[in-house]
Amino acid sequence: MFPTVIGRLYDPCMIAASYTPKKKFMQLAIAEAKRARDRGDYAIGAVITRVMDRREVVIATAGNRVKTSGSSIKHVELETLKYVSSGYGRYLSDFVLYSTHEPCAMCAGACVWARIGAVVYGVSQEDIAAYGRESGTEDFKWRACLIPCQLVFEKGNHPIPVTGRFLRDECHRLFSYRAR
């Protein structure tokens, strides 16, 4: 059990609020998103890194599998968290989740339960909803759950440093990415 600091659990491995996201990790998530779309899925990608001393290393990468699996809960963030937890344990306080899209309420809840150290995302739930309204199709609806991940983290009593809109323009282009 971790000690409490001002009414909250203090995890000594937690990523600092001053964490600076790395462009190369989001670019890797973007590449995974393109691979997902090439397979016929939503162009959403995620990367989980581990911060160790002054180094940060990639632990897992994946693209979305909602459409190709036939399961509406196979979100890439949830699947990568499950995968990393199976190898590194229940709590992931020294790990960072990079996602091309803001984690939905379900995936944000999983981040709380896993005690993820930090979250970095590209486009917001609002961006997803706007694109879905304007350009969604029957096959690719681009629905959104308009609950910000930051709100889930706060209500989940797990303060997670969040960097949103990171490489937003590059991530926004994924909406219209077409398989080659």
Side-chain angles (χ1 to χ4, degrees), residues 37 40-42 67 128-143 175-178:
R37 182 61 177 97
D41 220 307
Y42 286 98
K67 291 182 74 57
I128 298 166
Y131 185 82
R133 282 190 305 273
E134 297 164 12
S135 306
T137 65
E138 187 58 35
D139 201 32
F140 286 92
K141 295 181 187 333
W142 288 103
R143 291 177 300 198
F175 288 129
S176 56
Y177 176 79
R178 298 291 175 247

Side-chain angles (χ1 to χ4, degrees), residues 44-62:
I44 303 171
V47 170
I48 294 185
T49 63
R50 187 173 194 187
V51 178
M52 301 178 299
D53 298 318
R54 294 193 172 119
R55 303 180 325 153
E56 186 171 1
V57 297
V58 173
I59 302 299
T61 67

